[in-house]
């Protein structure tokens, strides 16, 4: 008998728990030659802001041991452009197309979310209160319980579909922040965003990245992400979406066992553009091997 | 153009000179169409320090043999590891990526192709496609000394070859921009690939003559498909992805002066 891979994130139905992480999968279209996009549980598109953003200067990327740092800085053409030019191209992709929303004050987040609320084929947003690469806002909100709650409240007031809030790992008490976001009305939390890091070019005695620091992603961050997902899953009642360094099905199952109801794959798409399909198949194999009928049986099923 | 992830098989790995090697790869199925100036992202297995794929230009496509060639300069762990591959090994590649050089608009167009170092790589395939279109380009190839110049016999079969070396051991002494062909002949179009100072010098020459000129950029890349926005170049239209809109750009779009 075929195993059931479907999961729910609040009211959102996912045919399987595998989504792609914002900023690593473009608008999905960039990967359409490699995989059938409708095979995914969801696609979380590029970070979108109320106003257009040029992003940070080049260089924006440096490779690190088992990972990379980036300081893209939310380059995007703004929510109006998204609605008029990009939405028409992606609205018929038969999976959950989720927009990652960023801003520099609660009002901007709310206005951006309100616009996206009107788009029929966008069933959810992921609020990015955790970007380490922009000067004002972004992570500033995500590092205090009050800041996080203020953004979520402002958005909740105008947004009535599924609201996922993406948490920053650059904090001392991630469970506390998750609880405050839950109390403020989030339907789910996702974690982790990138960890703040830095690389120095020792010959030139300068930072490699244009703004000195950047966000670390890839397998290097995975044990931290698993720990945080586990802590948050115990602290909140809303579903948790886990990500950070997932490279294969084993890694994905690790997050599910830690308490994630779904997972996102980011940096791994750069190394293998077909990795998401392999992870879906690998989760299915794991479930069959372990005699499970549904992926829901392994969510939070770690024994300790 | 449709992009593919392919597990190619290595037919040969030939040392062209110290630190440079030529990979010839094939596949059981016909290779997809590729344009000169496009590139591939090569997966490097077995190097602890190499996490991301490595972008490498398409050096040549041999349709009869169903081969794609990559000319690689060893500069770090990733390229060194690629240099250890032997015939029969598999290499996972994503290709073809980006936009290549503009093809000549007519067979009579006088086209100059300028390359320095490993930057000569994409010009060979460009020369081949031009020859197929009935064009005979002029190649202007530069190196530090005679031993630096690779694949010269193939270039000579496709067009007129001018050479400069910094030590004068082959061709004219100096940089490519010092070559007498630049004052003796005039060109309708120039394409350049090589170190940035060389490309800038050729771009300045092209500007002074009012000649159309394209350059191939090598910004650091992560995804190679326009998804991550890491590889951007600041242009007249703001930040654009080199991997998707380039790597070949008309100099009028760039903010180089
Ligand atoms: C579109 C494109 C086409 C290219 N075509 C070729 C080609 O045909 N043949 C070839 O030999 N090389 C080519 N390169 C450069 C090649 O990608 C790098 O030399 C390679 O990634 C270095 O990997 P590594 O692990 O050996 O070195 P690393 O250890 O990663 O780096 C060693 C040195 O190489 C430099 N480097 C690393 N990555 C790049 C990069 N993407 N561009 C420029 N310098 C880099 C680093 O700054 C460092 O100083 C191309 C690059 C691009 C973007
Ligand atoms: C190049 C790049 C750009 C990113 N852009 C965004 C973004 O716009 N919004 C966001 O919430 N997260 C962004 N992220 C973070 C990822 O979505 C993800 O949280 C992080 O990379 C960890 O997952 P991974 O290790 O699987 O990549 C970005 C990551 C990378 C590598
Ligand atoms: S390398 Fe990712 S957008 Fe160019």
């Amino acid at each position: 008998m075929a195993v059931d891979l479907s999961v729910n994130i609040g009211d959102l139905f996912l045919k399987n728990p595998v989504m792609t992480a914002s900023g690593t999968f473009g608008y999905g279209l960039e990967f359409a030659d490699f995989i059938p996009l409708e095979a995914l549980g969801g696609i979380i598109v590029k970070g979108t802001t109320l106003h257009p953003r040029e992003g940070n200067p080049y260089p924006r990327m440096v490779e690190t041991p088992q990972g990379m740092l980036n300081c893209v800085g939310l380059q995007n053409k703004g929510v109006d452009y998204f609605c008029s030019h990009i939405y028409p191209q992606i609205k018929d992709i038969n999976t959950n197309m989720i927009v990652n929303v960023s801003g520099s004050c609660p009002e901007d987040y709310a206005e951006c979310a309100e616009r996206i609320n009107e788009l029929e084929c966008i069933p959810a947003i992921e609020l990015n209160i955790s970007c380490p690469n922009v000067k004002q806002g972004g992570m500033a909100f995500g590092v205090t319980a009050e800041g996080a709650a203020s953004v979520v409240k402002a958005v909740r007031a105008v947004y009535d579909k599924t609201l996922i809030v993406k948490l920053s790992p650059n904090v001392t008490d991630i469970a506390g922040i998750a609880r405050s976001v839950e109390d403020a009305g989030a339907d789910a939390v996702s974690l982790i965003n990138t960890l703040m890091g830095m690389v120095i070019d020792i010959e030139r005695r300068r930072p490699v990245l244009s703004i000195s620091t950047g966000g670390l992603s890839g397998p290097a961050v995975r044990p931290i992400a698993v720990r945080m997902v586990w802590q948050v899953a115990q602290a909140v009642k809303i579903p948790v979406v886990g990500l950070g360094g997932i490279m294969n099905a084993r890694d994905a199952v690790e997050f599910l066992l830690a308490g994630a109801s779904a997972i996102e794959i980011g940096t791994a798409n750069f190394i293998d553009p077909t990795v998401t399909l392999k992870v879906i198949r690998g989760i299915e194999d794991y479930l069959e091997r372990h005699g499970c009928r549904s992926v829901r049986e392994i969510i939070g099923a770690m024994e300790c | 153009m449709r992009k593919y992830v392919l597990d190619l098989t290595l037919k040969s790995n030939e040392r062209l000179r110290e630190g440079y090697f030529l990979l010839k790869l094939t596949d059981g199925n016909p290779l997809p169409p590729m344009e000169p100036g496009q590139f591939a992202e090569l997966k490097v297995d077995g190097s602890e320090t190499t996490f991301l794929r490595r972008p490498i230009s398409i050096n040549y496509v041999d349709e009869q043999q169903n081969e794609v060639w990559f000319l690689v300069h060893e500069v770090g762990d990733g390229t060194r590891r690629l240099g250890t591959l032997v015939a029969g090994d598999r290499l996972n590649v994503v290709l073809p990526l980006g936009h290549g050089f503009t093809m000549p608009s007519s067979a009579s167009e006088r086209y100059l192709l300028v390359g320095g170092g490993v930057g000569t790589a994409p010009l060979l395939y460009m020369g081949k496609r031009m020859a197929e279109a009935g064009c005979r380009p002029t190649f202007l190839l530069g190196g530090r000394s005679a031993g630096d110049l690779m694949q010269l016999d193939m270039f000579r079969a496709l067009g007129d070859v001018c050479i400069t070396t910094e030590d004068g051991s082959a061709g004219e002494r100096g940089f490519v921009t010092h070559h007498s062909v630049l004052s003796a002949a005039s060109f309708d179009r120039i394409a350049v690939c090589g170190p940035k100072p060389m490309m800038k010098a050729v771009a300045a020459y092209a500007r002074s003559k009012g000649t159309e000129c394209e350059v191939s950029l090598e910004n650091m890349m992560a995804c190679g498909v326009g998804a991550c926005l890491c590889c951007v170049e600041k242009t007249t239209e703001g930040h654009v992805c080199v991997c998707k809109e380039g790597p070949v750009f008309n100099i009028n779009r760039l903010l180089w002066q």
Side-chain angles (χ1 to χ4, degrees):
Chain A
M1 202 183 89
V3 293
D4 178 7
L5 287 177
S6 68
V7 296
N8 288 292
I9 303 292
D11 291 336
L12 194 67
F13 173 82
L14 276 62
K15 62 188 99 171
N16 64 61
V18 178
M19 299 191 280
T20 56
S22 177
T24 65
F25 206 68
Y27 293 103
L29 304 167
E30 291 81 351
F31 287 80
D33 284 349
F34 305 121
I35 59 164
L37 298 174
E38 64 278 5
L40 300 172
I43 294 174
I44 304 183
V45 306
K46 244 172 223 172
T48 302
T49 51
L50 184 58
H51 303 294
R53 287 181 58 98
E54 257 293 279
N56 292 318
Y58 179 87
R60 294 177 170 184
M61 188 281 288
V62 58
E63 192 177 27
T64 59
Q66 289 296 300
M68 59 178 274
L69 287 177
N70 89 83
C71 63
V72 171
L74 297 174
Q75 177 180 332
N76 79 101
K77 293 187 170 159
V79 71
D80 287 339
Y81 184 89
F82 175 82
C83 294
S84 60
H85 288 80
I86 296 167
Y87 177 67
Q89 297 179 58
I90 64 172
K91 70 179 180 49
D92 296 324
I93 299 174
N94 186 16
T95 183
N96 293 301
M97 298 302 293
I98 300 174
V99 180
N100 179 269
V101 171
S102 264
S104 42
C105 60
E107 296 74 35
D108 284 6
Y109 275 98
E111 201 174 331
C112 192
E114 203 171 359
R115 298 282 173 84
I116 294 166
N117 199 31
E118 291 159 16
L119 305 176
E120 197 187 340
C121 303
I122 305 291
I125 57 173
E126 180 180 62
L127 273 196
N128 176 11
I129 56 166
S130 47
C131 182
N133 299 325
V134 289
K135 289 235 166 60
Q136 357 89 292
M139 193 169 80
F141 293 107
V143 294
T144 65
E146 302 74 43
S150 71
V151 177
V152 176
K153 275 192 193 127
V155 171
R156 184 76 289 177
V158 296
Y159 189 77
D160 49 33
K161 301 186 215 170
T162 303
L163 174 57
I164 306 168
V165 179
K166 187 165 180 181
L167 305 181
S168 170
N170 302 297
V171 297
T172 45
D173 177 18
I174 196 155
I177 292 179
R179 270 192 299 266
S180 73
V181 160
E182 177 179 39
D183 292 342
D187 297 312
V189 288
S190 58
L191 64 151
I192 62 174
N193 206 317
T194 54
L195 277 152
M196 198 98 108
M198 182 166 178
V199 173
I200 298 170
D201 178 338
I202 61 163
E203 299 304 325
R204 291 165 59 241
R205 301 190 182 186
R206 283 159 175 252
V208 172
L209 295 177
S210 63
I211 60 159
S212 301
T213 59
L216 182 64
S217 64
V221 309
R222 192 174 58 238
I224 300 174
V226 171
R227 182 266 292 176
M228 289 185 158
V229 164
W230 176 66
Q231 288 177 324
V232 167
Q234 289 170 310
V236 297
K237 292 183 200 70
I238 52 178
V240 176
V241 179
L243 73 153
I246 296 176
M247 299 300 285
N248 50 45
R250 188 219 76 91
D251 301 345
V253 169
E254 192 180 12
F255 278 85
L256 297 170
L257 291 172
S261 297
I263 58 107
E264 297 176 22
I265 298 181
T267 306
N269 292 298
F270 305 161
I271 288 113
D272 179 1
T274 66
V275 64
T276 43
L277 290 189
K278 293 175 184 164
V279 171
I280 295 167
R281 264 185 253 124
I283 294 174
E284 210 169 354
D285 286 349
Y286 174 88
L287 295 172
E288 278 168 7
R289 273 198 295 117
H290 285 256
C292 305
R293 292 219 182 126
S294 160
V295 68
R296 291 185 295 275
E297 292 171 36
I298 65 165
I299 295 170
M302 181 184 72
E303 295 167 20
C304 35
Chain B
M1 285 173 78
R2 194 181 164 89
K3 305 186 257 301
Y4 297 81
V5 193
L6 299 171
D7 262 320
L8 300 182
T9 305
L10 191 70
K11 272 181 133 174
S12 64
N13 175 358
E14 188 189 343
R15 289 269 137 187
L16 297 191
R17 52 178 282 238
E18 182 58 32
Y20 292 80
F21 57 91
L22 180 66
L23 302 176
K24 294 186 181 175
L25 296 136
T26 191
D27 192 35
N29 298 313
L31 291 166
M34 295 172 245
E35 299 296 336
Q38 289 188 304
F39 66 101
E41 284 276 6
L42 278 50
K43 187 155 178 290
V44 182
D45 289 322
S47 162
E48 279 291 307
T49 52
T50 309
F51 175 63
L52 297 166
R53 285 174 182 262
R54 293 298 188 255
I56 300 290
S57 302
I58 290 159
N59 172 229
Y60 195 73
V61 179
D62 184 332
E63 285 89 0
Q64 265 81 53
Q65 301 293 321
N66 197 37
E67 287 175 2
V68 57
W69 299 5
F70 299 111
L71 176 61
V72 185
H73 181 196
E74 291 177 339
V75 296
D77 288 349
T79 46
R80 264 195 295 277
R81 173 71 198 140
L82 289 171
T84 66
L85 293 174
V86 295
D89 282 351
R90 296 289 203 145
L91 181 66
N92 186 272
V93 303
V94 181
L95 86 191
L97 299 173
H99 282 99
F101 298 111
T102 303
M103 287 302 284
S105 52
S106 76
S108 61
E109 197 167 289
R110 289 158 304 168
Y111 210 133
L112 177 68
L113 300 171
V114 188
V118 77
T120 59
L123 304 184
L124 189 66
Y125 184 39
M126 181 63 179
K128 181 194 184 213
R129 291 288 294 272
M130 288 181 66
E132 284 165 2
C135 271
R136 193 168 166 84
T138 301
F139 296 103
L140 173 52
L141 310 175
R144 233 162 284 141
S145 66
D148 291 356
L149 300 159
M150 294 168 283
Q151 301 179 303
L152 277 182
D153 290 346
M154 294 195 69
F155 280 114
R156 288 197 173 109
L158 298 168
D160 302 318
V161 176
C162 303
I163 288 170
T164 61
T165 51
E166 288 168 42
D167 66 1
S169 55
E172 297 183 12
R173 181 191 293 270
F175 296 117
V176 287
T177 39
H178 300 145
H179 198 281
S180 56
V181 72
L182 295 182
S183 42
S186 71
F187 297 95
D188 302 313
R189 193 177 270 286
I190 303 176
V192 206
C193 185
K196 208 159 194 177
M198 188 199 96
M199 292 200 290
K200 286 193 169 170
V202 176
Y205 164 83
R207 245 191 214 112
S208 74
K209 299 279 179 184
T211 311
E212 286 292 316
C213 180
E214 290 177 332
V215 298
S216 182
L217 302 185
E218 287 201 353
N219 292 13
M220 298 294 286
M221 294 178 179
C223 73
V225 297
C228 73
L229 307 186
C230 285
C231 63
V232 293
E233 177 76 13
K234 200 152 182 143
T235 69
T236 50
E237 312 111 75
H239 283 134
V240 303
C241 291
V242 169
C243 69
K244 190 175 176 187
E245 303 212 15
V248 174
F249 287 91
N250 188 300
I251 55 170
N252 295 330
R253 284 182 76 188
L254 302 177
L255 305 180
W256 294 5
Q257 277 314 331

